[in-house]
């Protein structure tokens, strides 16, 4: 992220001693507002909800118009509607399971953790 040739990234870090987490983001300026894309969220699962709160506070301070992130079941992003997030249509993704035993697993969307940094739409 630090050496990306055309995009700047920032990081919000939450430290609780032995438990920490970080959100990596990029900000786009549109004609009307700033949009923050959370491209990675990593860290101890017990800190993620507080990291969301810290990220929202930071975005308000920087006058961000909207925050976007991909649905991620292990980060419990499904609970973010309580914080005002709305669900947008999912992006299509194609997966080819070369090992046929994996086919039932990969067809279940809840088995995937997806971040915007994993595709080119950000």
């Amino acid at each position: 992220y630090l050496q990306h040739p055309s995009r700047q990234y920032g990081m919000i870090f939450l430290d609780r001693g032995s438990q920490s987490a970080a959100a990596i983001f990029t900000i786009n300026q549109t004609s009307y507002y700033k949009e923050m894309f959370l491209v990675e969220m990593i860290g101890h699962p017990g800190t993620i909800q507080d990291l969301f709160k810290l990220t929202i506070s930071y975005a308000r301070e920087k006058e961000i118009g909207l925050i976007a992130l991909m649905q991620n079941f292990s980060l419990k992003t499904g609970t973010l509607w309580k914080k005002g997030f709305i669900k947008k249509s999912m992006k299509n993704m194609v997966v080819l399971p070369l090992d046929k035993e994996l086919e039932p697993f990969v067809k279940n969307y809840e088995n995937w953790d997806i971040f915007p940094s994993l595709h080119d739409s950000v």
Side-chain angles (χ1 to χ4, degrees), residues 25-26 35-39 64 66-70 85 116:
F25 64 89
T26 186
E35 50 190 16
M36 172 189 271
F37 287 94
L38 298 178
V39 296
I64 302 295
L66 67 83
I67 301 172
L69 70 152
M70 295 189 79
F85 281 72

Side-chain angles (χ1 to χ4, degrees), residues 55-112:
T55 301
I56 292 167
S57 176
Y58 175 86
R60 285 191 173 125
E61 179 183 309
K62 299 296 181 185
E63 299 180 346
I64 302 295
L66 67 83
I67 301 172
L69 70 152
M70 295 189 79
Q71 181 85 358
N72 183 302
F73 295 101
S74 67
L75 297 180
K76 297 183 174 74
T77 55
T79 65
L80 289 176
W81 63 270
K82 294 176 186 175
K83 293 178 176 41
F85 281 72
I86 56 174
K87 186 175 181 180
K88 296 296 286 176
S89 299
M90 292 187 310
K91 299 213 177 241
N92 292 329
M93 187 170 79
V94 177
V95 177
L96 174 62
L98 298 175
D99 181 344
K100 293 297 182 190
E101 291 181 19
L102 293 176
E103 191 167 340
F105 179 81
V106 300
K107 284 185 174 180
N108 184 347
Y109 183 71
E110 291 187 11
N111 291 327
W112 289 87

Side-chain angles (χ1 to χ4, degrees), residues 24-38:
I24 299 171
F25 64 89
T26 186
I27 297 173
N28 293 331
Q29 176 68 55
T30 71
S31 299
Y32 304 103
Y33 58 88
K34 293 183 214 173
E35 50 190 16
M36 172 189 271
F37 287 94
L38 298 178

